[in-house]
Every structure is written in C-alpha cells, then in structure tokens.
Amino acid sequence: MIPVKAYAAFSATTPLQPFQFERRELRDHDVLIDILFCGVCHSDLHQTRAEWGDALYPMVPGHEIAGKVMRIGSRVTKFKAGDTAAVGVMTDSCRQCNPCKSYMEQYCAESMTGTYNNYERDKKTVAQGGYSTQIVCDERWVYHVSDKLNLAAVAPLLCAGITTYSPLKFAGVRHGDKVAVAGLGGLGHMAVKFAVAMGAEVTVLSTSPFKERDARRLGAHHFVLSNSGQMEKLKGHFNIVVDTISADHDYSPNLKLLALHGKLLVVSLPKVDPHVDPFELIKNRRTIIGSMIGGTVETQEMLDYCAEKNIVADVEVIPIQYINEAYERMLRSDVKYRFVIDMASLQ
Ligand code: NAP
Ligand code: ZN
Ligand code: ZN
C-alpha cells in the first residue's frame, strides 16, 4: 500500500482537516501520480457539506488533479515515469455498457466511479480525491498534458474545462452564434473562453457588478447584470445560454432569453429542484440540455485543444491550509476564477 497525506472533511459541518490514508499498490494498468496541483470545484463544497444527500466521511475531495507520473503498472502503454499527467472527475466505470464502449463513461449505465465520495468498482473501497499527495488510477482515466501550459492553470480544465467544452460542442456552437454564460465562476469563466474560441458573440450574465472588467478581459463581448432590469431587453435574444449558477435558482429567467430553437445548457447542480415554466419552454421550441463532465476521449481532445489555442484557467494558487477560507470565499462568489491548491504545501 502507498501512504499519502491529505485534507479531508469528517462531517458536513466541520472544517477540512489533515488526514492520512493509503492508496492501493499498482495494478497492471495503473499509474501512480505525484499530485502537484488540485483545483477547487464548487462540487467539492456541495459534497463535503452533504448537499447532494449521502456523503462518505472521511472525504478527501478534489477532482481537478495535475502532476507527474512516478511509476507505472506492468501493462501500462500510454504513460512513462516523468510524464505530466492529469486525472478528472472519474477514475473508472463498468467498461461494458454502450456509453462506456463509446468512451462516454460519465454516462455509464452502472454509474461512473467518481474520483471521491464514491465506492470503487469493488463496492467497498472508498475513492479518495486530489487534496492529497498522490493518486493511483487506471491509465484509461489519466490524461496527457502539454508541458507548454502552466500546470497550476491546467488543473481546472479537468472539471471546469471539460464540463463547459463538452456541452458547447454538443450544442454545435457556430461562428457568430449568440451565447450567454450565466454565472462567472470556475465553470463560467471557462465557458466564456471556449465560446469565444469557437467564434461566438459572448455575453456574461452575472450578479456581481465588479466582474465586468474581468468578463471583457476573458473575451466576453457584453456584460449584463442578471438581477437587474437589463434582462428584460434580452428576451428571445440568444441561441445558447450556459447555466453555471451554483446557488438554488429557477430555469425560467434564462429560458426566456432563448431565440427560436435556442438551447439552455445546464451544468449547475444546486440542491433544490429548479422550477421550469412550461409556457416558456414551448415558446420558440426551446430545449433544456443537461450535461455531465465529458468522456475520456473528449477530455483528452479538450486538453489538446487548450494546448493548441493556449487556453488555461485563471487561477489563485493557495496552500492547502487555506482551503476552509477558500470555501467561504467561493460561497461569496469571491473567486478569480478558480482556487488551485499547491500540493507542495502538504509535504
Ligand atoms: P463557482 O466557481 O462557485 O461559480 C458559481 C457562480 O454562480 C458564481 O461565481 C456566481 O457568479 C454565480 N452565483 C452564485 N450564487 C448565486 C446566486 N445566489 N444567484 C445567482 N448567481 C449566483 O462554482 P463552479 O465550480 O463554477 O460550479 C458551478 C456549478 O456547476 C456547481 O453547482 C457545481 O456543482 C456544478 N458542476 C457541475 C458539473 C457537471 O458535470 N455538470 C461539473 C462541475 C461542477 P456571478 O458572481 O457572476 O453571479
Ligand atoms: Zn468539479
Ligand atoms: Zn458502463
């Protein structure tokens, strides 16, 4: 077994604290990664605070993992020691069902194995995430990262990046499309970067007036305060709205903004079920599309696309001892635009 240091949540109401546990010895197809950086996703906060129901404690969160390969199993072909590598939101799946055979393992008929707050395929080992010094993962769920990019800023691509890239591609964003991004946080700022790179005319819908300058720096063409009268003028305006709002909210205000055949891309996961007005849904034959991260092939494609276009997240690098304060700031929408833990602080 491989001993690792970590930070874990021990209950829904107590701060994260230092924790030690063991990773499994390498199987034939496993890769051992020394974690250098791990992004902090709002899903980490939702899950450590048991906002999605059952939570497994102690819970080591973290699913935006970037580091170096230390060792490989005897039958690993994709990686060698010293490679820069990354792990995202899942680490396994049934591998047999249709979604798995199509490399859309996030939609596995028997559920993907989440990187943490989940049982591994043996149904008894608790999966633990990236707020830790090392991780062991089957090579299918490990990705290559270009050494051209700043590794701390690459880490958030593993969740915030792929979660916004995948639905934008699925929706077929074309040059000149009008795309709105609701919520300028970790996911939102990546959605802006990708939509701009795909040639869209991008509008940020935000509750935070102080984010306007950043929105424009990130490439957005317009900025609208979503809790103001300005939304009224945008009814029927957009081809696509990407909903990344972490707080409880209804879908209808964003649905109203869609033009004929417009699509509401929902990636946010608040705790309370949203209200949808069916009259707004049938108007303009609108569609609501949910989307969960991205599969293994698409995740590698996204990382290669980012290397080619020089796209990374805007990050604030923090020591792990700052994590509880970082969570509080995330709740206040005070993140520019992703916290990333420098794992050297845990050594
Ligand atoms: P985040 O960095 O905290 O950003 C969320 C943004 O939502 C905030 O920056 C804020 O933007 C907006 N917001 C917050 N409170 C609001 C309120 N009361 N009213 C309106 N807007 C509010 O969170 P994130 O990491 O990007 O995650 C966003 C959501 O996506 C979370 O629910 C997360 O669990 C989910 N998620 C889903 C997937 C998936 O596979 N589908 C993957 C990862 C995360 P403004 O300041 O601009 O208003
Ligand atoms: Zn995430
Ligand atoms: Zn499957």
Side-chain angles (χ1 to χ4, degrees):
M1 299 293 272
I2 302 164
V4 292
K5 291 185 191 166
Y7 257 55
F10 289 81
S11 83
T13 52
T14 47
L16 272 68
Q17 291 169 32
F19 175 59
Q20 299 204 2
F21 67 102
E22 293 182 320
R23 301 278 188 194
R24 65 169 182 262
E25 251 319 316
L26 272 61
R27 298 177 189 146
D28 291 352
H29 288 280
D30 279 347
V31 174
L32 172 66
I33 297 170
D34 208 355
I35 301 175
L36 300 176
F37 298 101
C38 185
V40 178
C41 180
H42 207 108
S43 303
D44 299 346
L45 191 155
H46 286 312
Q47 291 180 84
T48 51
R49 300 191 179 182
E51 291 178 2
W52 297 344
D54 289 346
L56 298 170
Y57 300 109
M59 184 194 305
V60 178
H63 57 208
E64 295 183 336
I65 298 165
K68 291 275 179 197
V69 174
M70 301 299 289
R71 261 196 302 134
I72 55 171
S74 60
R75 300 179 71 182
V76 167
T77 55
K78 265 170 64 181
F79 296 93
K80 58 180 187 328
D83 283 352
T84 307
V87 175
V89 179
M90 56 180 171
T91 55
D92 210 339
S93 69
C94 88
R95 310 178 188 203
Q96 310 291 331
C97 69
N98 280 335
C100 283
K101 283 187 193 148
S102 331
Y103 297 97
M104 286 189 273
E105 303 89 341
Q106 75 276 33
Y107 303 121
C108 174
E110 295 181 16
S111 296
M112 67 178 197
T113 303
T115 303
Y116 66 87
N117 192 26
N118 219 199
Y119 289 104
E120 293 188 0
R121 300 320 285 180
D122 65 9
K123 297 191 168 66
K124 43 178 208 257
T125 309
V126 175
Q128 298 287 21
Y131 297 6
S132 60
T133 46
Q134 294 182 315
I135 190 163
V136 174
C137 184
D138 185 292
E139 63 175 332
R140 176 164 169 176
W141 285 269
V142 182
Y143 309 100
H144 287 283
V145 173
S146 166
D147 287 319
K148 279 192 338 202
L149 301 175
N150 168 9
L151 195 59
V154 162
L157 300 179
L158 276 301
C159 178
I162 185 60
T163 302
T164 48
Y165 176 88
S166 182
L168 286 169
K169 273 208 68 185
F170 182 74
V173 175
R174 282 182 308 199
H175 209 270
D177 274 353
K178 291 186 169 64
V179 173
V181 176
L184 194 63
L187 268 58
H189 95 292
M190 289 311 307
V192 170
K193 291 188 186 208
F194 286 131
V196 168
M198 292 171 189
E201 182 183 330
V202 178
T203 302
V204 168
L205 311 174
S206 172
T207 58
S208 308
F210 63 89
K211 291 183 182 172
E212 176 161 6
R213 262 181 58 192
D214 288 338
R216 294 192 191 273
R217 183 179 48 76
L218 293 165
H221 306 90
H222 314 281
F223 181 89
V224 170
L225 277 178
S226 52
N227 45 6
S228 74
Q230 296 178 50
M231 294 280 274
E232 213 30 49
K233 291 187 218 131
L234 292 172
K235 274 187 182 168
H237 183 75
F238 295 104
N239 306 105
I240 288 168
V241 177
V242 189
D243 176 347
T244 78
I245 300 165
S246 55
D248 296 331
H249 64 288
D250 287 338
Y251 290 169
S252 298
N254 288 329
L255 265 184
K256 286 183 191 170
L257 306 182
L258 292 169
L260 182 66
H261 297 160
K263 301 179 179 96
L264 177 63
L265 306 180
V266 175
V267 292
S268 57
L269 289 164
K271 55 186 164 183
V272 176
D273 292 347
H275 170 74
V276 179
D277 179 350
F279 287 88
E280 287 302 333
L281 189 58
I282 64 168
K283 209 180 281 176
N284 277 345
R285 192 148 68 181
R286 293 160 171 153
T287 321
I288 301 177
I289 301 175
S291 192
M292 197 197 302
I293 50 168
T296 51
V297 168
E298 195 176 35
T299 301
Q300 187 62 62
E301 173 193 306
M302 179 271 315
L303 287 166
D304 296 345
Y305 179 87
C306 288
E308 186 197 318
K309 304 254 179 196
N310 208 16
I311 295 175
V312 287
D314 285 27
V315 299
E316 180 176 338
V317 178
I318 57 167
I320 200 155
Q321 295 77 9
Y322 187 74
I323 191 64
N324 296 302
E325 174 64 20
Y327 278 14
E328 292 310 314
R329 281 183 53 194
M330 193 148 61
L331 283 175
R332 298 196 296 268
S333 299
D334 177 20
V335 186
K336 293 190 163 183
Y337 277 85
R338 199 59 143 185
F339 290 115
V340 171
I341 303 164
D342 180 351
M343 221 46 79
S345 59
L346 193 51
Q347 296 297 338

